[in-house]
Amino acid sequence: MKFIVLLLCLAAVNCQMNFPEIPQIKIGALFYDNEFEIEEAFVQSIEFVNTLSKDEFLLQPIVMRLNTYDSTMFIEKYACDLLDMGVAAIFGPSSRANSDVVAVLANITGIPNILFDAIIEEPEEQKAGHQLTVNVYPAQQMISKAYSDIIHNYGWRKFNLVYDIDDDTAPMRLQDIIQLRDLYIDAVRLRKYRKGDDYRNLWKSMKGDRRVILDCPADILVEMLNASIPFDMTGQFNHLFLTNLENLEGILEPLRHNETFALNITAVRFKERPTNLPNLNQVNNEPSQKLLPKLIHDAVMLYYLALKNITTHYIIEDPPRYTCENLDFSGEMGRWPFGEYIRRIMGQASFLNDSYFHYGSMQFDNYGHRTQFEMEIYEPMDNYSLAVCHTNGHIYNEHISNNITKKIVYKVATRIGAPYFMERENATDTEIMGSSRYTGYVVDLIDELSKEMQFEYVFVPVPGNGYGKYNKETKRWDGIIGEIINNDAHMGLCDLTITQARKEVVDFSVPFMTLGISILAYKKPVERKSWSAFLEPFQSEVWVYVMASIFIISFLYFAISRITVGDWENPHPCNKNPDVVENRWTISNSIWITIGSIMTAGCDILPTHSTMRIFTTMFWIFAIIINNSYTANMAAFLTNSKMEGSINSIADLAGQNEVKFGTIEGGSTYSLFAESNETTYRLAFNRMQGSEPPVYTKDNNEGVERVLKNNGSYMFLMETTSLEYNTERNCKLQMLGETFGEKHYAIAVPFGAEYRHSLNVAILRLAEKGILPSLKQKWWKNTNNSCDHEEAPEKDTPDLTFDNVRGIFYTLYVGIFIAYIIGITDFLLYTHHVAAEEGLTFKQAFLKEIKFVLNIWNNKKPVSKAPSTRSNSLTTSEKSSKSCSKSTKSLRSCRSLQKKKTIANGDVPEVKSVKSLKSCLTKH
């Protein structure tokens, strides 16, 4: 038996002589006595490394446990003990040590110090003493920047930041968010608490605020959130952002079945890579939710990869044994030569194979601070990822489908105003609390959006019925914008215009309607002109003077003709020696030539003597001036009504002083004019500002009423959508000029609203389907419109209408009527005379004359030859003919007798004088 034991011993010695011993590298670690999860993860990670290193080297862990009450002196002693044991690296301690003594010792000895927890960033003068330190926990300033990027991405500008006043690392970890308070001093509020306090006081101070950033340890998170429930801080319109980087999956499970807990929670954690690494600290086959155990594993793997990289080329010498008694803090004592090399290689080894790390590859700056990592944004209640934040500032949304079905109810802030949102007139008692109480374009639009996005909604008409105006004194917004800013509503939907001021405090969806601005004016009713409108170019007294002048001039004409010898004429031209001469300028002829001159019609008889011609010429000058003055005034009168509508643009409106104009005070149209640098807009704004009484209104309805009340002396600058709606329903209103100042209606949402993208997609789908145009047609077009729409004239000079000149036609009709009355009367008198001459009855004579009148082809009328009248009397024409014939015969006989006497005497046959003819005619 002893012989067999001896052989085995010799065999064992022989094996050791034939096979070289595997190098063992001692690895020291400092953990507190209650950090058993981290310590266990450290040991498991080293065991995992030893299975990978095979025959290259083995890591031998040496753990020193610290007490929670140990001072810096004890920590230094434990570190010196590790150095005295010849460790090649020291892991830890955690941030609870609150001392850099280990890092200083590592820098002196050249032994790498690898950290795994968040520490306070050291001042610049201390960084030189930490050259051998590497921390796999991301730098606090990088985490702070990531938080700030997330807040900016979500558009949060008004929120409460809550953190533990006793946490020394919190101000550094949240420094970028805290700095936002300098930009938004009234929007970012800092709240501090102390662990163990009554958290209800904290939430009471934030009551009414809808967004909270909470930096809180996981062990008191549920307790703190329970304290917020009585203050309505966990409703569906509240948002909570948790900065705790621990995996909070399952921690909030006690709140899941609380019906009042409908809070929108967002949390962050380091992005884990899918690896084949063993689960650390497994309990009931569930992975650990702790962050630091996984980081200590990554730290061990980082050190292992650095050693593996070095051992392929070099043999690592064992580090010297250092004791605190022989340490030279001046740095002159020799360092371990491989320590600084290992420290440098660790900054590169993580890129070789990041599958060894839970939180991906790492990159460090010159001071050993980790600057590269990925942060996952997730929903901790149901544990699904929302986005990934990179250290370069980019945030990428993760489109991960989940089976969580939540009842989404959006609160829609709006305002009463046709046709967008109106209360039904016949709303029943059962409908008074429901959405069916309302009707309008907004109701139909939100209903279509709810079908596209699968959500429910409730309407909330805002107090004051305002769109949203900023109060410089209170520094708050009211109306719909105020509701969105205060997170009292998910959406703001009405005729809400996108403006730069509003975009600074809320987000907008894509526009669902495009519009502009135009002028709403009173449409004066078309007045029917009087029948005597053609007389209006002259005033009544002018017409009196003209008519008096006609009669006076006619009398003067008649008077001067009596004294003018040259205008007396022989009534019988064939009688060279008439017994009488006659003046043709009778009263009737004088009036005729006077009227003909005024009417520029001329006359068939004209004066011959110079006196009469001078008189006539002067009157003609008067007549032509009167005629042309009437023509000019008539043309101006006919176009006067068109000249009244000379305002056709905002430039015309701003360039006149007779018509006042205004808009809604503080609205988007007001802002357009107030903030514009365009000359016309500035002039218009200055005129509105200087008007008394004020020309601004509270809303569109007041503006419309003011336009109607002032009957054309006030115009209202209005968005074309509302303008079209009102002109369609009121015939007394009209739109003047072209549209200017393009604007857009969109849905307002809080900054960073996660449903904004879905809203944009839904609106675009409704537009593609033609639903948006059909909704506008439904609510804008008035099918019962009975207004007579006048088309704008294409000519600069308007055409004359019958209403303008009908008085002239009436005058013509009256004149013709009078003329026919006189003609018919004369015809009847003549018929009576014919009946008397021819011995016929009046009826027979009337039928005879009518037949002749109707026989339009016969142009010669026979002279009546009735014997009863012919022998007794002759007509005036027959007497004149006989007289002229008798005179002709007498003249011929006188000339014949004179001729015979001359021949008998042998004289020349010549009548000596007119007197001889007169004496001859006298004898005969």
Side-chain angles (χ1 to χ4, degrees), residues 17-288:
M17 295 177 60
N18 293 333
F19 299 97
E21 185 178 359
I22 300 175
Q24 292 190 0
I25 302 175
K26 297 178 181 179
I27 303 298
L30 296 171
F31 300 118
Y32 281 90
D33 53 6
N34 57 355
E35 294 178 340
F36 57 91
E37 291 182 342
I38 303 175
E39 180 181 345
E40 186 176 357
F42 175 73
V43 174
Q44 289 182 1
S45 297
I46 289 180
E47 292 175 355
F48 178 70
V49 165
N50 289 336
T51 60
L52 297 176
S53 61
K54 297 181 180 179
D55 299 333
E56 297 174 344
F57 57 84
L58 294 176
L59 298 180
Q60 180 181 352
I62 301 177
V63 178
M64 293 286 184
R65 294 183 178 87
L66 305 173
N67 295 318
T68 54
Y69 51 83
D70 284 343
S71 63
T72 302
M73 182 179 64
F74 283 97
I75 297 175
E76 180 182 357
K77 178 182 179 303
Y78 292 142
C80 290
D81 291 343
L82 292 175
L83 294 174
D84 190 28
M85 295 178 186
V87 295
I90 299 178
F91 288 79
S94 65
S95 60
R96 295 174 58 183
N98 197 21
S99 172
D100 65 339
V101 63
V102 178
V104 173
L105 291 175
N107 188 63
I108 295 173
T109 60
I111 303 299
N113 176 215
I114 306 169
L115 302 179
F116 54 87
D117 195 6
I119 60 173
I120 300 176
E121 185 177 354
E122 66 272 18
E124 192 68 28
E125 59 271 11
Q126 293 183 5
K127 291 182 178 179
H130 301 162
Q131 296 179 0
L132 268 293
T133 300
V134 173
N135 193 350
V136 297
Y137 195 103
Q140 297 292 289
Q141 59 182 0
M142 298 301 297
I143 295 176
S144 174
K145 181 179 180 300
Y147 289 156
S148 178
D149 291 338
I150 295 171
I151 296 301
H152 277 293
N153 182 71
Y154 285 147
W156 286 21
R157 296 189 182 181
K158 182 178 181 181
F159 53 85
N160 288 274
L161 176 60
V162 183
Y163 63 91
D164 187 354
I165 193 173
D166 294 329
D167 186 354
D168 296 332
T169 62
M172 181 65 66
R173 182 169 60 251
L174 305 171
Q175 61 178 337
D176 285 79
I177 302 179
I178 295 175
Q179 288 174 0
L180 293 176
R181 189 169 181 265
D182 298 333
L183 298 176
Y184 312 105
I185 189 170
D186 296 320
V188 179
R189 300 175 182 176
L190 301 183
R191 310 285 184 179
K192 302 176 183 179
Y193 68 91
R194 183 173 276 107
K195 195 171 183 179
D197 288 347
D198 187 352
Y199 304 128
R200 291 177 298 177
N201 296 328
L202 173 69
W203 294 109
K204 184 178 180 180
S205 66
M206 294 185 290
K207 185 176 181 181
D209 295 335
R210 301 301 184 185
R211 289 177 175 174
V212 177
I213 299 176
L214 179 59
D215 188 81
C216 172
D219 56 347
I220 65 171
L221 180 58
V222 174
E223 180 184 358
M224 181 167 282
L225 292 180
N226 278 326
S228 69
I229 294 176
F231 303 100
D232 193 28
M233 298 296 291
T234 58
Q236 62 177 343
F237 306 117
N238 293 69
H239 295 262
L240 179 66
F241 178 67
L242 300 176
T243 60
N244 194 305
L245 293 174
E246 293 283 356
N247 185 2
L248 301 177
E249 178 186 359
I251 292 180
L252 300 179
E253 191 65 26
L255 300 172
R256 179 179 295 278
H257 302 292
N258 190 331
E259 295 181 356
T260 62
F261 194 83
L263 184 66
N264 296 294
I265 304 179
T266 303
V268 289
R269 60 192 175 193
F270 292 126
K271 175 72 174 177
E272 282 198 65
R273 297 291 181 89
T275 64
N276 295 323
L277 300 177
N279 290 327
L280 301 177
N281 299 323
Q282 275 192 331
V283 179
N284 297 327
N285 295 324
E286 293 184 2
S288 171

Side-chain angles (χ1 to χ4, degrees), residues 520-778:
L520 180 69
Y522 180 76
K523 185 178 181 181
K524 293 184 178 179
V526 179
E527 298 180 358
R528 185 174 177 84
K529 298 293 184 180
S530 172
W531 67 270
S532 60
F534 72 97
L535 298 176
E536 293 186 14
F538 287 163
Q539 293 183 357
S540 300
E541 58 181 354
V542 176
W543 285 115
V544 172
Y545 291 149
V546 170
M547 299 304 296
S549 298
I550 291 174
F551 287 103
I552 293 173
I553 293 299
S554 299
F555 176 77
L556 294 176
Y557 209 97
F558 172 73
I560 197 172
S561 67
R562 302 287 295 176
I563 63 175
T564 302
V565 179
D567 275 285
W568 289 84
E569 298 179 353
N570 183 4
H572 301 292
C574 58
N575 186 1
K576 298 300 182 179
N577 296 302
D579 295 331
V580 293
V581 292
E582 79 183 353
N583 192 338
R584 57 182 172 176
W585 296 109
T586 62
I587 289 294
S588 61
N589 286 347
S590 298
I591 294 175
W592 179 251
I593 192 173
T594 303
I595 295 176
S597 300
I598 289 290
M599 304 299 293
T600 65
C603 184
D604 57 345
I605 56 175
L606 296 172
T608 57
H609 196 269
S610 59
T611 301
M612 290 291 291
R613 288 183 175 180
I614 291 173
F615 185 90
T616 304
T617 300
M618 297 307 296
F619 181 71
W620 282 354
I621 293 174
F622 167 80
I624 195 171
I625 293 175
I626 289 295
N627 184 276
N628 289 340
S629 298
Y630 175 83
T631 303
N633 287 348
M634 185 65 175
F637 165 74
L638 293 176
T639 59
N640 184 47
S641 61
K642 298 296 182 180
M643 294 297 291
E644 291 179 358
S646 59
I647 298 177
N648 292 312
S649 66
I650 186 63
D652 297 337
L653 195 60
Q656 53 83 46
N657 296 317
E658 297 180 359
V659 179
K660 303 292 184 181
F661 58 96
T663 186
I664 298 177
E665 185 175 10
S668 59
T669 304
Y670 176 93
S671 300
L672 171 67
F673 286 94
E675 300 172 3
S676 176
N677 294 323
E678 206 276 329
T679 304
T680 301
Y681 294 170
R682 292 301 305 174
L683 177 60
F685 180 73
N686 292 336
R687 291 201 180 279
M688 289 189 287
Q689 288 289 94
S691 297
E692 288 294 338
V695 294
Y696 299 117
T697 64
K698 295 181 179 179
D699 52 30
N700 285 329
N701 292 334
E702 183 180 345
V704 172
E705 292 176 1
R706 196 164 175 179
V707 170
L708 293 172
K709 182 179 179 180
N710 287 272
N711 296 336
S713 61
Y714 177 83
M715 295 183 181
F716 190 64
L717 301 176
M718 195 178 196
E719 292 172 344
T720 53
T721 48
S722 299
L723 194 151
E724 292 170 4
Y725 179 81
N726 283 279
T727 54
E728 277 283 328
R729 284 154 181 79
N730 196 324
C731 300
K732 296 181 180 180
L733 298 174
Q734 63 177 339
M735 183 177 75
L736 295 181
E738 298 293 333
T739 301
F740 62 93
E742 182 175 303
K743 303 165 73 173
H744 305 279
Y745 288 160
I747 303 175
V749 297
F751 274 129
E754 63 276 5
Y755 48 86
R756 178 189 174 195
H757 174 73
S758 300
L759 269 179
N760 293 339
V761 174
I763 291 173
L764 293 177
R765 286 178 180 172
L766 294 181
E768 292 173 355
K769 295 177 181 178
I771 295 177
L772 293 183
S774 63
L775 287 180
K776 184 176 181 182
Q777 180 73 10
K778 171 185 176 181

Side-chain angles (χ1 to χ4, degrees), residues 465-478:
N465 210 39
Y467 297 97
K469 184 171 61 176
Y470 181 70
N471 189 320
K472 294 182 179 180
E473 296 181 358
T474 61
K475 297 182 179 180
R476 297 180 71 89
W477 287 78
D478 59 8

Side-chain angles (χ1 to χ4, degrees), residues 76 80 83 101 104-109 323-333:
E76 180 182 357
C80 290
L83 294 174
V101 63
V104 173
L105 291 175
N107 188 63
I108 295 173
T109 60
T323 61
C324 289
E325 289 76 11
N326 64 3
L327 286 179
D328 185 0
F329 288 90
S330 64
E332 295 179 357
M333 182 180 178

Side-chain angles (χ1 to χ4, degrees), residues 253-428:
E253 191 65 26
L255 300 172
R256 179 179 295 278
H257 302 292
N258 190 331
E259 295 181 356
T260 62
F261 194 83
L263 184 66
N264 296 294
I265 304 179
T266 303
V268 289
R269 60 192 175 193
F270 292 126
K271 175 72 174 177
E272 282 198 65
R273 297 291 181 89
T275 64
N276 295 323
L277 300 177
N279 290 327
L280 301 177
N281 299 323
Q282 275 192 331
V283 179
N284 297 327
N285 295 324
E286 293 184 2
S288 171
Q289 297 174 342
K290 300 297 183 179
L291 172 64
L292 296 185
K294 294 182 179 179
L295 284 174
I296 193 66
H297 167 84
D298 287 356
V300 172
M301 296 305 300
L302 179 66
Y303 186 77
Y304 158 72
L305 291 176
L307 290 179
K308 182 179 180 181
N309 182 274
I310 294 174
T311 54
T312 56
H313 304 284
Y314 305 98
I315 297 176
I316 299 178
E317 298 179 356
D318 293 334
R321 295 176 179 270
Y322 296 96
T323 61
C324 289
E325 289 76 11
N326 64 3
L327 286 179
D328 185 0
F329 288 90
S330 64
E332 295 179 357
M333 182 180 178
R335 291 181 174 182
W336 182 40
F338 279 96
E340 189 173 352
Y341 186 44
I342 294 173
R343 155 70 179 83
R344 187 169 64 253
I345 295 300
M346 281 194 294
Q348 306 170 358
S350 66
F351 292 100
L352 300 178
N353 192 346
D354 61 0
S355 63
Y356 287 113
F357 304 99
H358 286 284
Y359 299 117
S361 59
M362 291 171 270
Q363 186 175 346
F364 304 91
D365 60 13
N366 295 331
Y367 301 105
H369 298 156
R370 183 175 179 178
T371 59
Q372 180 176 325
F373 59 92
E374 291 182 347
M375 191 173 287
E376 182 182 20
I377 307 169
Y378 70 105
E379 204 281 344
M381 288 289 288
D382 298 305
N383 193 34
Y384 59 87
S385 178
L386 299 173
V388 176
C389 177
H390 294 260
T391 52
N392 57 11
H394 293 168
I395 297 178
Y396 302 96
N397 293 328
E398 299 230 307
H399 303 287
I400 300 176
S401 60
N402 57 80
N403 297 324
I404 306 300
T405 303
K406 290 186 177 181
K407 180 182 179 181
I408 303 175
V409 180
Y410 288 136
K411 192 176 181 182
V412 182
T414 186
R415 60 182 296 277
I416 301 293
Y420 302 97
F421 190 74
M422 301 169 286
E423 194 171 2
R424 294 183 186 271
E425 296 180 357
N426 57 346
T428 62

